[in-house]
Amino acid sequence: MNTVTEPAVVEVRELRKDYGRFQLGPLDLDLPAGYVTGLVGENGAGKTTLLKAMLGLVRPDAGSVRQVGDGQARPGLDLGGVGVVFDHLVVIPEWTVSQAGAAVAPFCPSWDAGLFAELLTRFGVVSGARVGTLSRGEGSKLSLALALARRPRLLILDEPTSGLDPGARYDVIDVFAEFMAADDQHAILFSTHIASDLDRIADHLRVLVDGRLVESGPLPEVLERHAMVRGPSSALPASARAAVRGLRDVGGTFDGLIATQDTAQFGPEVLIEPASIDDIVVRLSHPAERSRA
Amino acid sequence: MSRVLRFTQLDLRVQQATLKTTLAVGALLALLTWVTAPLPPLIVAVFTFAAAIVAVEPFRADERGRLDALYAVLPVRRAQVVGGRYLTMLGIQLLFAAIGVLLAFAAAAVKGVPMDASLAGLILSAGFALNALILAVETPVLFRVGYARARWVMFTPVLVIAALGALANLSGVNLTQFALSLRAAAWAPALLPVGGLAVLALSALASTRLYAGRDL
């Protein structure tokens, strides 16, 4: 499922990776230029595998990843223009923070040492500190500084705010916003399970369930396509049960996710509310009915 | 600077981080061989053999720092990572050989015994060739599965030496006589390292293929 109409910076087509017990795809994914695309899904949905396949860390069994630029699409990602933040640090613990920067810099033609130092100061990460002594949050900030100092056009982020306290998360989201504002060709793919981060910054949303994209589009449109219903079980007509995704029918009341176009199937006793990103992810991930008398 | 050399530079930066430990082990090794080696050229042998063990250290660092993921997101191809890593291992070999030779000469001078330069040269050449053989077997496995899943490969030096010994025994070759004949052969000091390099080159090709197919 892919409803993007804006020009893409990255095109993923028919991507598939089979691990036996888990299969990613086949899926198509476009990352629109100038936008932040949120990738959400429960643990094990395949978010990290998808990012790794896009980056070439895992070899897909089928499909293609192409980077689009100057009107041309080239196979693979041009890693010179991509900044990546994993949910773990990828530098050795014995290095100091500044040594980590010095190790990465020679590979990156656009490396901006001034920006690296500025970001460390802004994030409160001491450049002389040993990487092994950093807290998880400081490690995330270091990863981010390393990625941004490469002056990338595309940022690929795997849980970049995990381990950060709410204040630090706000600061990091501000940095992403500044990155996007700097150039209308910049793009971010932001994989996370913290929906509130996406509420603040995402323009597009992709929902991954069991290795497949089940929802995709501009965030406001995705939210508009769904609604939450809740009410007394007696007000849930049998004919409408099939329309409710992730139906919970417990203790005489029910709730679940519906497509907005199905609201007419429910009577006045049923409360219909806007769905949140969390609602969509949870209910689409567990579409089967859960009932208890 | 080519990306292969840049990668070697990165590899050495990583090794530099654990330099204190390496130096401490090296110093201990130097002290032990200084005291116990009956002939100074044997110091060269010990250091040459130690190089085979230390040369795979970069793979341990890869796992500790999850550096394979770092390499994968830098603008450096996997084949260049492999090339750079082999250069690093070669560099470690040369460094240890140089230290061994220097120590051997120093020990000979201090102890007042003659330094058999031709024996030291032969040990150097044969040691390099043997190490090359050991690393040629180990390295593709390390590239394919990583250090943690390839711990068994650390027994390769012992296995290779044991296998060569067994092979010699089965084929009726007297190893002492063989070593002496090598010493007498003028070609040995030059050809053994060339053979070692050829084996390493083949190993690098295998590593490139295996690392290319590895999921990180």
Side-chain angles (χ1 to χ4, degrees):
Chain A
M1 181 181 287
N2 203 357
T3 60
V4 177
T5 52
E6 292 89 355
V9 285
V10 177
E11 294 174 350
V12 177
R13 294 288 176 270
E14 294 291 316
L15 190 76
R16 189 169 60 80
K17 178 72 181 175
D18 195 348
Y19 286 106
R21 60 186 170 80
F22 172 77
Q23 183 177 305
L24 176 75
L27 59 80
D28 293 348
L29 173 78
D30 281 357
L31 296 186
Y35 293 98
V36 177
T37 302
L39 177 66
V40 287
E42 294 197 324
N43 290 340
K47 301 189 295 293
T48 299
T49 304
L50 172 57
L51 300 190
K52 283 183 166 182
M54 290 174 66
L55 288 163
L57 272 83
V58 302
R59 303 287 153 158
D61 296 318
S64 64
V65 177
R66 299 192 305 168
Q67 186 154 8
V68 185
D70 308 323
Q72 287 185 317
R74 297 175 186 84
L77 294 184
D78 170 18
L79 293 170
V82 180
V84 183
V85 176
F86 293 106
D87 62 346
H88 57 265
L89 264 170
V90 291
V91 292
I92 57 166
E94 290 85 0
W95 274 339
T96 63
V97 167
S98 56
Q99 282 173 331
V104 171
F107 292 93
C108 309
S110 312
W111 179 262
D112 188 336
L115 177 62
F116 183 60
E118 184 189 317
L119 287 168
L120 292 180
T121 306
R122 179 170 174 178
F123 292 150
V125 179
V126 180
S127 62
R130 293 237 169 262
V131 170
T133 65
L134 299 179
S135 67
R136 177 146 190 229
E138 287 171 324
S140 299
K141 291 171 182 172
L142 170 59
S143 292
L144 193 55
L146 286 169
L148 286 167
R150 292 167 69 163
R151 290 274 180 208
R153 292 177 66 197
L154 168 65
L155 270 180
I156 295 182
L157 312 168
D158 189 7
E159 307 281 0
T161 54
S162 65
L164 297 179
D165 58 62
R169 274 181 25 224
Y170 264 62
D171 200 17
V172 165
I173 298 289
D174 285 345
V175 172
F176 295 153
E178 289 164 23
F179 170 78
M180 293 306 296
D183 189 323
D184 62 6
Q185 289 304 300
H186 281 179
I188 295 178
L189 177 58
F190 189 152
S191 167
T192 185
H193 64 271
I194 305 174
S196 58
D197 288 345
L198 295 181
D199 281 332
R200 286 192 59 211
I201 195 166
D203 304 297
H204 287 258
L205 192 70
R206 311 283 182 267
V207 181
L208 201 56
V209 174
D210 293 333
R212 287 170 189 264
L213 279 180
V214 297
E215 186 53 276
S216 181
L219 179 58
E221 286 181 20
V222 171
L223 293 175
E224 274 174 27
R225 282 203 287 268
H226 299 91
M228 283 297 287
V229 287
R230 68 186 86 246
S233 300
S234 57
L236 176 62
S239 59
R241 288 187 94 90
V244 184
R245 308 291 302 273
L247 172 65
R248 283 195 318 163
D249 192 353
V250 177
T253 62
F254 80 96
D255 59 42
L257 185 78
I258 60 164
T260 313
Q261 63 196 21
D262 292 332
T263 50
Q265 295 187 37
F266 300 90
E269 292 169 286
V270 175
L271 189 62
I272 298 177
E273 299 171 317
S276 67
I277 296 174
D278 274 340
D279 290 332
I280 293 170
V281 173
V282 171
R283 303 303 170 135
L284 292 183
S285 299
H286 304 282
E289 180 179 333
R290 280 180 286 177
S291 302
R292 203 168 60 225
Chain B
M1 190 191 290
S2 80
R3 285 180 182 169
V4 173
L5 288 177
R6 245 180 237 153
F7 182 81
T8 300
Q9 194 182 33
L10 173 62
D11 239 3
L12 294 175
R13 271 180 193 276
V14 173
Q15 292 311 300
Q16 204 179 358
T18 52
L19 193 62
K20 278 182 192 165
T21 315
T22 311
L23 283 177
V25 173
L28 188 67
L29 194 65
L31 185 70
L32 283 173
T33 51
W34 183 287
V35 172
T36 58
L39 294 171
L42 289 182
I43 298 177
V44 179
V46 171
F47 269 81
T48 307
F49 186 70
I53 296 163
V54 175
V56 296
E57 274 297 296
F59 289 96
R60 199 160 69 92
D62 286 348
E63 216 120 281
R64 214 175 57 249
R66 300 186 180 192
L67 297 181
D68 281 310
L70 173 67
Y71 310 148
V73 298
L74 290 175
V76 53
R77 292 200 302 271
R78 290 196 187 190
Q80 292 167 330
V81 170
V82 171
R85 177 59 51 85
Y86 273 80
L87 282 183
T88 304
M89 295 193 302
L90 218 50
I92 291 172
Q93 298 282 309
L94 293 176
L95 179 70
F96 270 66
I99 294 172
V101 169
L102 282 176
L103 275 174
F105 272 102
V110 170
K111 292 178 176 177
V113 293
M115 172 68 183
D116 190 339
S118 72
L119 180 60
L122 180 64
I123 288 174
L124 214 52
S125 303
F128 177 81
L130 187 61
N131 277 1
L133 187 61
I134 288 164
L135 291 175
V137 175
E138 284 181 339
T139 312
V141 181
L142 287 161
F143 267 117
R144 181 63 189 171
V145 299
Y147 188 88
R149 288 171 62 198
R151 281 185 197 283
W152 55 270
V153 101
M154 301 305 133
F155 295 106
T156 307
V158 178
L159 289 175
V160 166
I161 290 169
L164 288 175
L167 206 64
N169 200 26
L170 283 174
S171 55
V173 173
N174 184 324
L175 280 176
T176 312
Q177 276 186 347
F178 178 68
L180 288 172
S181 68
L182 272 184
R183 193 180 179 187
W187 54 266
L191 264 187
L192 283 172
V194 172
L197 284 174
V199 168
L200 280 178
L202 288 174
S203 168
L205 287 176
S207 293
T208 303
R209 274 187 76 90
L210 291 170
Y211 194 45
R214 179 175 162 199
D215 285 345
L216 302 172

